[in-house]
Amino acid sequence: MRIVLLASLLAATSLAAPAFAQESADVRQTGEGQADAAPPAVAQAAEEGKARLSIGAGVAYFPDYEGSDEHTWSPIPAMQGTIGGMSITLLANRVSLDLIPNATGPGWDFQLGPVAVVNLNRSKLSAIEDPRIKALGEVDTALEVGGFVGIGRTGLITSDFDKLSVTLSYRHDVTGIHKAGVWTPAINYMTPLSTKTLVGLFATAEIVEDDYARTYFGVTPAGSAASGLPVFTPKGGQKNIAMGGMFTVALTGDLTKGLALVTGFNYSKLLGDFADSPLVSIAGSRHQWTGGAGLALTF
């Protein structure tokens, strides 16, 4: 299980689709292409959108551990609730709360709030098949807690309804497992193709501290004797760079309400000491691929 899963990104985009469409519901185009006041039905939908619940579930095909060249299937849950413009989001192993209310329609979106991630990498819940990695032993589940800031703009490139967002989060292990911090910058762009379809692109990276690198990518003398992998003591730094895309289509209703299907993929390349780790260079691969699909229902 990776810290930043495509499972989370798929769930995020599946839930973002109805939220994004609802955000733009109070602005429509007249026949001349000029913004006009929303008709009563649309205005009512926008008002209802201030209190909304979306739930999602799906499956993802991802590496057995971060750096593995073997893959497994896993279910992924998701939930997003919005009240008064503030939102709470559960995406697989990540939960966040955006404390800054945002108005509907085109404009700026400022984001700030807490975030927590359950790190299951190489834990007993991981489906690891490689005997060398098994011999290194399990890593207990870590809870990473921190915060995030971000800024987004709706109505930027293609229409009043596309959105570009840039975020930065920091979280630190509070359970004493790897005792380190993780920085995650990200950029996301989404645009609807119609009232029923949405596409998105994203790019992320992770910068981690030394103790994180040693916990998940290091090989101690005892671990070397047990696994046959060489001793390795990595340093922290930029761990990876990742990019991917997604596609969402409404199966009932449109993007503002009903059932939607989301599919997507993610490619991540491990860098530096993380790519040079025996867990990656000998037992795995620096090239990490993930794909998945799921359903999201918005009320």
Side-chain angles (χ1 to χ4, degrees), residues 20 23 85 87 98 100-103 105-112 148-154 163-167:
F20 175 72
E23 183 178 59
S87 63
D98 186 356
I100 302 180
N102 293 288
W108 293 101
D109 170 15
F110 297 99
Q111 305 161 27
L112 174 69
F148 70 96
V149 294
I151 186 171
R153 175 73 181 182
T154 301
K163 184 171 184 177
L164 179 68
S165 299
V166 178
T167 61

Side-chain angles (χ1 to χ4, degrees), residues 259-298:
L259 186 67
L261 169 69
V262 58
T263 62
F265 73 94
N266 180 73
Y267 167 71
S268 174
K269 182 178 181 180
L270 294 168
L271 306 172
D273 279 3
F274 306 95
D276 294 336
S277 167
L279 285 78
V280 179
S281 61
I282 297 176
S285 171
R286 69 172 61 193
H287 303 288
Q288 304 281 282
W289 292 93
T290 309
L295 295 172
L297 180 63
T298 299

Side-chain angles (χ1 to χ4, degrees), residues 184-232:
T184 307
I187 182 169
N188 300 274
Y189 177 73
M190 292 186 292
T191 183
L193 302 179
S194 70
T195 59
K196 291 181 174 290
T197 59
L198 179 82
V199 295
L201 298 171
F202 57 82
T204 64
E206 285 194 328
I207 299 94
V208 303
E209 297 173 355
D210 289 346
D211 285 343
Y212 182 102
R214 288 192 287 267
T215 299
Y216 296 107
F217 292 87
V219 180
T220 64
S224 177
S227 66
L229 296 173
V231 174
F232 187 73

Side-chain angles (χ1 to χ4, degrees), residues 70-94:
E70 299 178 319
H71 293 71
T72 189
W73 289 95
S74 177
I76 50 173
M79 180 277 293
Q80 184 185 63
T82 301
I83 299 178
M86 296 186 294
S87 63
I88 182 171
T89 307
L90 169 67
L91 306 170
N93 59 336
R94 182 183 189 274

